[in-house]
Amino acid sequence: MGFREHAARVRRILGIVLAVLLLGGVAAVLVTGGDKDTGTATKTVRGVIGSEKAEFFADPQVVKALAAKGFTVNTETSGSWDMEELPLDGYDFAFPSSKGPADELRAKAQAKTKDKAASAPLRPFYSPLVVVAHSAAAQVLAGNGLATLGPRGTNGTLKMDAYLAAARADRTWQQLKGSNGHAELSGTLFITSTDPVASNSGALYLAAASYVADGGRVAGDKAAVARTAPLMRKLVQVQGAQQSGSDAPFRDFVSGVGNPLVLVYESQVAAQLLAGRPMGDLVVLYPDTTVNSDHTLVPLTENGRKLGELLSTDPELRKLAVRHGFRPQGAASEFTAATDGHTEYLNQTLTGVRQAPVPTSKVLHEMALRARDQGDTA
């Protein structure tokens, strides 16, 4: 073989070897991910959450903070009470918006694993229920003794006794003085809430309303549910079709669509403020009797439990939870400090707001069914 032929053969062999090495390098990049921005995440956990927490888990800073602790979190949304109907296989955690549905999910998990100590819930943060109103609606309510407003007219208190009396009487906006000239204030006066059979906020609305309507007594049995069932039915059925999550009604309200009074979580308003989004003519009314929604994570696997502990204790994740409007459990000062520039909208210390006790999940579910005309009518 001559020199030229030998050199050409060597070049061909070297070319083949180089190509193999390059392909191997590409394969190595694909196997390892090749993206140095993935952080240190080593555990992927899957969970079902209430819609009001979707923005929190989608926040790039939350994703980064979780990755730094070794977690990638994949979520899907559901009404809190609807979670009970989902199969638990494949989930690491469920994160409804209060203790009631969390208790049901924990019982379901215990029945499946036969471990009565399993799935102890964690409550990283909470949020009281509030009513958002457009300015004209809030002014009319205040002018008719159904609400009081602060000096700037951007926050105030909804008088639940007076509001429920108006609901019993089927009062319309047109019957309230000061409503003339506001075309959007027409028809029956009501607060838009979520479906109480499917959603936590809708069920807790009934818990607070029934407590006030029954003279400050928490419903403990079917007889107690029956006493307030006609009023609860009015509160729900006047609304027509209801959403199964609180995110969509709040977004509709902010965009100027729908009813002028909407029940939401305070966290949704606080997140809007802290993000610097326009508030328009939004007014925040704190019911003088309301319910705190304890966002409760039910671990279904060990990784789910570790995630819940991180959300409860990690300083960076707590800070990010506050940025999304939530009040960390046992750390009121963190929320107060973060929202100090927004007291024209927020009642930071919940002054003048009474917390209604919440019935057991069984009683609350019966109340929701009766309100929807689906429960025991005997």
Side-chain angles (χ1 to χ4, degrees):
M1 180 184 295
F3 174 78
R4 290 185 179 178
E5 289 83 355
H6 177 75
R9 184 180 182 187
V10 169
R11 284 195 298 271
R12 285 196 299 271
I13 292 171
L14 288 174
I16 292 169
V17 171
L18 181 59
V20 169
L21 289 173
L22 286 171
L23 287 171
V26 170
V29 170
L30 291 172
V31 169
T32 59
D35 184 356
K36 293 184 179 180
D37 292 332
T38 56
T40 60
T42 58
K43 295 179 285 290
T44 297
V45 296
R46 179 180 174 225
V48 57
I49 63 173
S51 64
E52 71 291 329
K53 293 183 282 288
E55 284 195 6
F56 171 75
F57 280 103
D59 184 336
Q61 291 193 42
V62 173
V63 173
K64 182 179 178 181
L66 287 168
K69 297 295 182 178
F71 283 90
T72 295
V73 181
N74 296 328
T75 63
E76 57 191 78
T77 61
S78 168
S80 291
W81 286 101
D82 275 349
M83 290 180 193
E84 187 184 345
E85 304 302 319
L86 296 173
L88 297 180
D89 294 337
Y91 291 111
D92 295 284
F93 69 95
F95 205 171
S97 303
S98 73
K99 182 177 180 295
D103 286 345
E104 296 297 319
L105 287 162
R106 183 187 184 190
K108 185 176 179 180
Q110 288 175 336
K112 185 169 184 176
T113 62
K114 308 300 183 184
D115 180 1
K116 297 304 180 185
S119 308
L122 300 105
R123 300 183 179 91
F125 39 73
Y126 68 97
S127 184
L129 290 170
V130 300
V131 173
V132 289
H134 292 299
S135 180
Q139 293 288 343
V140 169
L141 292 179
N144 288 269
L146 278 72
T148 59
L149 295 179
R152 297 190 183 183
T154 49
N155 75 358
T157 301
L158 178 70
K159 298 181 179 180
M160 284 293 285
D161 265 326
Y163 168 70
L164 293 177
R168 281 193 195 92
D170 297 316
R171 296 284 294 279
T172 65
W173 283 104
Q174 293 93 324
Q175 291 172 329
L176 302 180
K177 63 182 181 182
S179 63
N180 291 338
H182 298 288
E184 74 279 12
L185 302 181
S186 63
T188 304
L189 170 68
F190 68 90
I191 295 170
T192 292
S193 61
T194 55
D195 181 352
V197 175
S199 171
N200 175 66
S201 58
L204 293 185
Y205 174 45
L206 297 185
S210 67
Y211 178 78
V212 174
D214 206 19
R217 290 181 290 182
V218 59
D221 52 29
K222 285 192 174 184
V225 171
R227 285 197 296 271
T228 61
L231 177 57
M232 300 304 103
R233 196 172 296 120
K234 279 191 174 187
L235 296 179
V236 168
Q237 295 188 2
V238 69
Q239 300 180 47
Q242 293 176 289
Q243 300 274 4
S244 62
S246 60
D247 188 52
F250 181 67
R251 290 181 183 276
D252 287 346
F253 177 89
V254 170
S255 66
V257 177
N259 192 43
L261 302 174
V262 180
L263 184 83
V264 301
Y265 295 107
E266 179 198 56
S267 59
Q268 294 170 287
V269 177
Q272 186 95 346
L273 289 163
L274 291 168
R277 298 170 189 154
M279 302 302 287
D281 69 344
L282 183 147
V283 179
V284 186
L285 298 176
Y286 286 77
D288 56 15
T289 301
T290 190
V291 176
N292 278 346
S293 182
D294 292 315
H295 294 271
T296 305
L297 187 146
V298 180
L300 303 174
T301 65
E302 180 63 16
N303 283 339
R305 182 185 64 79
K306 290 178 179 178
L307 173 66
E309 291 173 348
L310 268 178
L311 294 174
S312 300
T313 61
D314 182 75
E316 180 63 17
L317 287 167
R318 287 169 68 91
K319 180 180 177 181
L320 290 168
V322 170
R323 197 180 77 173
H324 283 270
F326 299 108
R327 295 176 180 246
Q329 290 284 3
S333 61
E334 294 178 27
F335 179 84
T336 302
T339 60
D340 194 50
H342 302 292
T343 54
E344 73 272 25
Y345 288 98
L346 302 175
N347 183 347
Q348 291 179 305
T349 59
L350 301 179
T351 302
V353 176
R354 178 174 55 167
Q355 291 297 316
V358 179
T360 65
S361 57
K362 181 179 179 180
V363 171
L364 190 56
H365 192 57
E366 174 69 16
M367 187 181 295
L369 289 171
R370 290 289 296 272
R372 287 278 304 274
D373 256 348
Q374 296 175 343
D376 182 9
T377 57

